[in-house]
Amino acid sequence: MGQTLTEKILDDHLVEGELETGEEIGIEIDQVLTQDTTGTMVWLQFEAMGLDEVQTEIAAQYCDHQTYQFDFKNTDDHRFLRSAAGTYGAHFSRPGNGICHNVHRENFAAPGKTLLGSDSHTPTPGGLGELAIGAGGIDVTVAMGGAPYYIEMPEIVSVRLEGELPEWATAKDVILELLRRLSVKGGVGKILEYTGPGVETLTAPERMTITNMGTELGATTSIFPTDEQTEDYLERVGRGEEYVELQPDDDAEYDDEIVVDLSDLEPLIAQPSMPDKVVPVSEVAGESVEQVIVGSCTNGGYEDILPVAKMLEGRETSMETETIVAPGSKQASEMLAREGWVAEMMAAGVNFSEATCGACIGIGHVPASDSVSLRTFNRNFEGRSGIEDDNVYLCSPEVAAAASIAGEIVDPRDLADELGDLEDPGVELPDEYDGSKTDLISPDEAVDDELIKGPNIGDVPIRDQLGSEIEGDALLKMEDNITTDHIIPATQDILMYRSNVPKLSEFTLSRVDETFAERALEADGGFLVAGENYGQGSSREHAALCPMYLGIEGVLAQSFARIHRANLFNFGIVPLTIDEETYANIDQGDEIEVVDDVYEAVTTGQEEFTVRINDDYEVTATLDASERERDILAAGGKLAWTKEQAEES
Ligand code: F3S
């Protein structure tokens, strides 16, 4: 039987296991990336592991989430990250140089390679044929030390693209259509492999918009085959020699197939406050818009902003709408500036921002209360924009520019009819991506050769080995789809403590219950209870690290999001799955006791655990874990486990 493209790359990197769906496999990692909010822990953990040098072909440290240097904390972190990159042999991208995925795709992403990144949108270079997976920081630390990355072999689903996009429909609409059909849980446990004749009609940057947002489907990753479009892009970024042709075999078999006819698509929009609440733009037309932001790792490339510039050329943005353009990389800004497009957009009323995640995580450009903000981003979870009652819509740059002109949500086809001289700008790649590289410091150019730690950089907390008893109160009961933003909000005032776990922990789940952190510390042990898809969203390991610091020993949930589930193991918190009825019957404050000897049960492979509630009745909870995950849990987390492993060998 022939192989899918995913199987071919996995086969090339396989160090343990077999490519059978559901089996645990270990793969060799060629490249790692990390960013500033997850990176400080990555390097502190790397230091704690006692290694001298990164072992992967490429390791890159980006500073993109918290680039504004409000006080010393972010700046201290940036200096620490630069010193860690220099000390251990990683590339360092300075604050303001751009968003990790944009800078990575411009400089390092390559077909056939594996990439592990401590950011959930790491799958972006799947559009270039790289097998790129988002993971927790500790997984990246361990991979950076040369160890394999372990993962349960996902199902491989073919997303067959047919036809060609019509006017005003874009790559963003392809992924919004998939979100409309499959929901934010539709990709869980799956790798989406794009196939079919429609693939060749999309440029590499368009493909990367699609693979970027595969994360919103919950997919492990998404990947495109490589072809002339891939080679063309690599040549334009000056790395043509890295092209390799990668295609699935003709007789490859997939676990499932989804067909999208590109020619049926129209401009789509995700309504507040979930990326899967997708409708045609025309359905919500007429809603007035106070803010438009073009940018992010989804649509912040040169090719995303150029259409906006062309649509705004010679026009004015609406007086009622604030329009911000935040490119994904400084290279994109520089090229647009050289070509005169920045001036053109500014003349139309655009505010031009530095290349940063910024507004995507509520840092700057927070919308006004009870107003509509239209963004080209990938996420619109409630409160993520920095204000609780936000109304954030997600759309293509073209739809965003149309709203900026009209002051309200409008289908760009209707606006074009009304204005008479507005044309679909289409997709245009520059002859050469020729921005300067002064903000990307290679290991050879390293500025530092020892770690520099400021006062906001604390030690890494390590949990003791798993004990035989776990009991405590259900300290918080939560609903379905709790995100890592709920667990540890990523806003500036909170995330500036990312390297200071005791301080950051004070904000744990504060968006759900302000008293939680205090209660948890006082209780010194206890449980979290949640519905479906607990921990969806980012790869933020602080969402497990902070509950661990507060003494949380177990989470009872109907289901877990993939990366967060791994992070719970990595920080020694027992993730137990419960059914709907058990979830409904447990109340906040109930006393919970795991009846089994937990250490023994975990280490002997026991799957079903008896849990006593209020010393009154018993329910069954399931630990679905591989042998390696059980060992990690028993050791007290991945750092303790990795040290054990190193001592044994
Ligand atoms: Fe940054 Fe938002 Fe992407 S936080 S990495 S722009 S999802």
Side-chain angles (χ1 to χ4, degrees):
M1 191 180 73
Q3 285 188 308
T4 64
L5 168 56
T6 306
E7 286 168 330
K8 287 184 180 182
I9 300 178
L10 287 175
D11 224 1
D12 264 2
H13 292 82
L14 198 65
V15 289
E16 222 177 299
E18 280 182 31
L19 300 183
E20 299 283 334
T21 310
E23 292 291 307
E24 188 172 77
I25 53 169
I27 54 169
E28 191 186 344
I29 296 299
D30 301 320
Q31 304 186 344
V32 295
L33 74 74
T34 178
Q35 33 90 337
D36 50 339
T37 58
T38 54
T40 49
M41 280 297 146
V42 166
W43 293 111
L44 288 168
Q45 287 164 156
F46 198 79
E47 182 194 20
M49 284 192 341
L51 298 168
D52 295 336
E53 207 181 354
V54 298
Q55 300 294 317
T56 46
E57 289 172 18
I58 299 282
Q61 171 63 56
Y62 300 95
C63 293
D64 52 3
H65 280 58
Q66 299 258 1
T67 59
Y68 301 129
Q69 298 169 334
F70 294 105
D71 66 11
F72 73 94
K73 297 185 201 73
N74 285 342
T75 326
D76 269 15
D77 276 358
H78 298 152
R79 188 178 58 185
F80 169 68
L81 294 172
R82 190 189 72 189
S83 73
T87 305
Y88 296 121
H91 295 263
F92 179 69
S93 177
R94 299 202 288 202
N97 190 39
I99 303 172
C100 53
H101 311 302
N102 297 63
V103 182
H104 200 83
R105 81 182 207 195
E106 288 161 359
N107 292 283
F108 304 116
K113 298 285 182 188
T114 51
L115 165 69
L116 195 72
S118 59
D119 189 277
S120 52
H121 291 93
T122 300
T124 306
L128 280 180
E130 179 160 31
L131 194 83
I133 301 176
I138 183 76
D139 288 318
V140 170
T141 308
V142 171
M144 203 154 70
Y149 174 62
Y150 291 90
I151 190 173
E152 214 173 84
M153 178 69 190
E155 286 180 18
I156 304 172
V157 175
S158 158
V159 182
R160 188 177 165 80
L161 302 180
E162 291 176 350
E164 201 166 342
L165 286 169
E167 278 210 331
W168 293 107
T170 66
K172 186 67 165 272
D173 302 309
V174 178
I175 192 67
L176 288 176
E177 169 66 10
L178 285 167
L179 277 155
R180 188 185 71 77
R181 288 199 212 170
L182 306 178
S183 90
V184 289
K185 291 197 299 181
V188 174
K190 296 170 183 164
I191 291 182
L192 305 181
E193 192 173 310
Y194 287 83
T195 60
V199 166
E200 65 179 33
T201 68
L202 299 169
T203 62
E206 287 174 287
R207 296 174 189 183
M208 286 189 271
T209 292
I210 296 170
T211 47
N212 171 282
M213 259 184 105
T215 298
E216 275 52 58
L217 290 162
T220 304
T221 190
S222 309
I223 191 162
F224 276 82
T226 64
D227 55 15
E228 281 173 14
Q229 296 274 17
T230 324
E231 190 170 18
D232 176 69
Y233 176 80
L234 285 169
E235 271 166 11
R236 289 173 201 250
V237 294
R239 297 189 288 118
E241 72 287 355
E242 293 179 32
Y243 176 71
V244 281
E245 193 182 326
L246 296 168
Q247 293 284 337
D249 290 330
D250 291 340
D251 56 347
E253 277 185 22
Y254 292 88
D255 292 298
D256 201 357
E257 184 178 75
I258 301 162
V259 179
V260 178
D261 188 341
L262 299 176
S263 45
D264 285 345
L265 294 181
E266 60 177 318
L268 297 171
I269 194 163
Q271 304 173 92
S273 294
M274 269 297 153
D276 58 3
K277 288 182 72 180
V278 175
V279 294
V281 172
S282 52
E283 246 180 58
V284 285
E287 180 91 57
S288 55
V289 174
E290 285 193 31
Q291 184 188 56
V292 164
I293 311 186
V294 178
S296 86
C297 57
T298 316
N299 283 120
Y302 170 93
E303 331 68 24
D304 297 300
I305 298 169
L306 187 61
V308 175
K310 286 180 180 170
M311 286 173 69
L312 295 181
E313 188 178 13
R315 299 181 205 278
E316 284 182 0
T317 57
S318 163
M319 294 284 177
E320 283 129 68
T321 309
E322 191 194 347
T323 304
I324 298 121
V325 170
S329 71
K330 200 173 193 179
Q331 174 170 272
S333 304
E334 191 182 326
M335 288 161 60
L336 290 159
R338 285 228 185 92
E339 292 168 10
W341 291 111
V342 173
E344 206 59 64
M345 285 186 276
M346 283 180 158
V350 165
N351 266 335
F352 211 75
S353 155
E354 93 178 44
T356 174
C357 295
C360 181
I361 40 170
I363 298 176
H365 301 300
V366 175
S369 320
D370 198 23
S371 67
V372 167
S373 174
L374 220 68
R375 299 171 169 209
T376 65
F377 302 175
N378 45 35
R379 291 192 167 152
N380 58 349
F381 302 143
E382 192 182 347
R384 186 176 166 92
S385 69
I387 181 164
E388 285 300 324
D389 61 342
D390 55 10
N391 289 299
V392 176
Y393 290 74
L394 307 173
C395 61
S396 68
E398 287 79 353
V399 171
S404 170
I405 296 167
E408 59 182 36
I409 298 178
V410 59
D411 186 323
R413 295 171 298 184
D414 294 338
L415 187 68
D417 283 349
E418 188 189 319
L419 297 179
D421 60 350
L422 181 67
E423 284 177 14
D424 178 359
V427 182
E428 191 187 327
L429 270 52
D431 292 341
E432 194 188 347
Y433 289 80
D434 59 353
S436 69
K437 307 261 189 218
T438 46
D439 289 292
L440 190 60
I441 304 174
S442 74
D444 299 340
E445 305 162 315
V447 191
D448 319 279
D449 58 8
E450 61 180 42
L451 298 181
I452 308 173
K453 293 182 186 173
N456 191 42
I457 296 177
D459 291 332
V460 187
I462 301 182
R463 171 156 276 187
D464 293 339
Q465 197 183 43
L466 185 67
S468 55
E469 287 174 13
I470 306 186
E471 59 182 316
D473 289 352
L475 291 167
L476 196 61
K477 182 173 179 184
M478 296 164 277
E479 299 174 346
D480 292 346
N481 294 323
I482 289 293
T483 69
T484 47
D485 279 338
H486 286 108
I487 306 172
I488 286 292
T491 49
Q492 161 60 24
D493 51 334
I494 295 177
L495 219 49
M496 66 186 172
Y497 296 112
R498 62 192 170 271
S499 319
N500 180 349
V501 175
K503 180 69 190 166
L504 185 69
S505 298
E506 292 173 16
F507 301 96
T508 310
L509 285 160
S510 56
R511 284 184 49 205
V512 183
D513 174 2
E514 278 188 3
T515 66
F516 172 74
E518 215 183 313
R519 291 193 294 110
L521 265 186
E522 251 176 52
D524 191 24
F527 290 83
L528 293 171
V529 178
E532 299 275 7
N533 202 19
Y534 178 69
Q536 69 157 329
S538 76
S539 66
R540 202 169 305 148
E541 65 184 347
H542 291 98
L545 184 53
C546 291
M548 174 197 103
Y549 176 79
L550 295 174
I552 295 298
E553 290 177 288
V555 182
L556 302 175
Q558 283 177 258
S559 63
F560 296 88
R562 182 185 67 85
I563 303 179
H564 187 63
R565 178 182 167 281
N567 279 334
L568 291 174
F569 282 103
N570 289 344
F571 291 97
I573 297 176
V574 185
L576 293 169
T577 311
I578 50 173
D579 62 22
E580 199 177 345
E581 193 187 338
T582 305
Y583 169 77
N585 288 336
I586 298 179
D587 291 323
Q588 186 164 317
D590 281 358
E591 284 171 30
I592 298 179
E593 182 194 351
V594 180
V595 178
D596 309 84
D597 179 320
V598 183
Y599 184 84
E600 197 183 310
V602 166
T603 49
T604 56
Q606 190 174 316
E607 289 192 356
E608 298 206 331
F609 285 60
T610 305
V611 178
R612 187 174 295 141
I613 314 288
N614 287 334
D615 217 5
D616 178 19
Y617 67 99
E618 290 181 351
V619 296
T620 301
T622 310
L623 180 69
D624 174 18
S626 68
E627 204 181 312
R628 197 188 46 82
E629 286 172 328
R630 286 169 182 273
D631 290 347
I632 290 173
L633 205 52
K638 197 156 190 180
L639 193 53
W641 176 76
T642 309
K643 284 180 133 186
E644 268 179 18
Q645 300 278 103
E647 279 160 19
E648 277 169 22
S649 63

